[in-house]
Amino acid sequence: VEEFLPERMKLDLDAPTTLAAGEALALKVEGDWLYGAPAAGNRFTARVSVQPDVHPVASLKDFHFGDPLAELPKQPRDALDETLDDDGLLEAEIALDEAKSPSGPLQVIVVGSLFESGGRAVTRPLKRTIWPATELVGARPLFDMGDGADPGDNAGFELVRANAAGDLLPATGLKLKLLRELRNYNWR
């Protein structure tokens, strides 16, 4: 029956939208009861996961940045278990050791939970992007990704150089490395 009770608390999470590689996530938490009083002294926990973010720029959603197969921990980890202050606030730095030197953009997902005194929680997610350099090169395939390029034909790509805000920047002398995966298996 508890699952059908309406929430009685409000939880707001905030952090800078874009982080540099090696930078800690500066998390700001605000918890309030819905009747207006701050959630003073209530327990707050956070779990963090990091995954490749191959489409980090909304204005360049068709372009792929970074390596979608980058090896990162698969499971979220516990990052915080704190108590909110008398104003229902908490500020904490979350170290992102799994993302110290990424080769492409990464998405940091923080799932925060604010607990009532009886143990019931209000949970909210927060997603932020680690942008590992001042500018990155993205590629957009000029063919349907589901079907792949036509066999025996050339595969075309469009390249852009952009910053975290999505501003296009001039690029000269770029070096490109394409990998071709052959998936011909011989089962004997």
Side-chain angles (χ1 to χ4, degrees):
V1 176
E2 178 181 275
E3 295 172 29
F4 298 105
L5 294 174
E7 292 180 349
R8 296 186 293 196
M9 300 180 87
K10 178 176 79 167
L11 174 61
D12 291 321
L13 304 176
D14 194 24
T17 307
T18 305
L19 305 168
E23 183 180 357
L25 179 76
L27 181 66
K28 293 182 181 179
V29 179
E30 182 177 356
D32 296 298
W33 291 94
L34 290 182
Y35 60 80
N42 287 68
R43 179 178 174 223
F44 173 80
T45 63
R47 294 179 58 85
V48 175
S49 62
V50 178
Q51 62 190 28
D53 190 0
V54 293
H55 302 289
V57 181
S59 62
L60 300 171
K61 63 180 171 66
D62 293 337
F63 287 86
H64 299 257
F65 292 83
D67 181 4
L69 303 176
E71 292 202 21
L72 295 164
K74 302 281 186 224
Q75 299 299 318
R77 65 174 169 85
D78 293 328
L80 290 175
D81 192 344
E82 302 283 337
T83 302
L84 300 187
D85 67 13
D86 291 340
D87 296 322
L89 303 174
L90 172 69
E91 291 188 14
E93 297 269 325
I94 299 175
L96 301 170
D97 295 334
E98 57 269 65
K100 285 198 178 205
S101 57
S103 61
L106 300 176
Q107 185 175 69
V108 178
I109 303 168
V110 177
V111 178
S113 297
L114 180 60
F115 292 86
E116 295 178 8
S117 56
R120 195 170 134 205
V122 173
T123 302
R124 298 286 182 268
L126 177 75
K127 296 179 182 180
R128 296 297 186 248
T129 299
I130 296 175
W131 193 265
T134 54
E135 60 269 334
L136 294 173
V137 175
R140 175 172 58 185
L142 300 176
F143 52 86
D144 183 349
M145 288 289 289
D147 296 335
D150 290 333
D153 200 3
N154 291 329
F157 295 89
E158 182 179 355
L159 301 177
V160 295
R161 182 174 172 222
N163 60 19
D167 302 324
L168 298 180
L169 305 168
T172 58
L174 294 177
K175 293 183 181 182
L176 179 66
K177 180 179 179 181
L178 283 177
L179 300 176
R180 179 179 177 193
E181 288 187 20
L182 296 176
R183 297 183 184 229
N184 296 331
Y185 297 101
N186 187 5
W187 303 98
R188 292 183 184 202

